[in-house]
């Protein structure tokens, strides 16, 4: 029997009725709360994991504050990162835009799921 690999699961969401944004993360790894989630009521929410780049959080929130949609934020963050293929990021803007990225060097079962109700929901590992 194959043992499951330790994983991190995150959800990045926006409530369309209140425009509230948030991030939740669950992991076997200690202290991921200091690395994965980033949120600001005036911008949106971001989760970065799988060799997380903690700069994605503050830089992404600044881009959201400037009015960039989530897709543009993800593109800008990953375009300048030489190690982007080993990372994952999910973004939901306070405006309701959503985007996610899972690099090609992440585990085979890593990915994301985006939908209308929970604007951006990710299962990252």
């Amino acid at each position: 029997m194959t043992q499951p690999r330790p994983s991190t699961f995150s959800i990045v969401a926006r409530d369309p009725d209140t425009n509230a944004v948030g991030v939740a993360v669950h992991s076997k790894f200690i202290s991921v709360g200091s690395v994965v989630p980033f949120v600001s009521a005036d911008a949106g929410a971001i989760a970065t994991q799988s060799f997380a780049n903690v700069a994605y959080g503050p830089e992404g929130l600044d881009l959201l504050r400037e009015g960039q949609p989530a897709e543009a934020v993800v593109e800008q963050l990953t375009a300048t990162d030489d190690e982007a293929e080993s990372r994952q990021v999910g973004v939901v803007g306070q405006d309701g835009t959503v985007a996610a990225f899972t690099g090609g060097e992440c585990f085979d079962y890593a990915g994301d799921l985006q939908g209308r109700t929970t604007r951006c929901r990710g299962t990252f590992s």
Side-chain angles (χ1 to χ4, degrees):
M1 180 176 184
T2 303
Q3 293 293 320
R5 289 183 179 213
S7 298
T8 300
F9 300 90
S10 299
I11 183 169
V12 181
R14 174 182 168 268
D15 179 342
D17 295 331
T18 65
N19 291 333
V21 292
V23 179
V25 60
H26 178 273
S27 183
K28 165 210 183 298
F29 300 101
I30 297 172
S31 299
V32 296
S34 65
V35 180
V36 173
F38 297 86
V39 64
S40 179
D42 69 341
I46 298 172
T48 177
Q49 57 191 56
S50 184
F51 299 97
N53 182 339
V54 296
Y56 281 8
E59 290 175 13
L61 291 173
D62 285 346
L63 292 168
L64 289 169
R65 281 188 198 95
E66 292 171 5
Q68 297 290 325
E71 186 173 295
V73 170
V74 169
E75 288 174 7
Q76 289 179 55
L77 293 174
T78 57
T80 58
D81 183 356
D82 292 339
E83 297 180 32
E85 288 303 314
S86 66
R87 306 191 200 285
Q88 294 177 284
V89 62
V91 177
V92 61
Q94 198 274 338
D95 63 357
T97 59
V98 299
F101 171 83
T102 298
E105 295 175 14
C106 294
F107 292 131
D108 290 342
Y109 52 85
D112 63 87
L113 175 65
Q114 300 173 39
R116 282 186 76 85
T117 305
T118 55
R119 296 296 187 195
C120 186
R121 182 175 60 207
T123 302
F124 308 102
S125 54

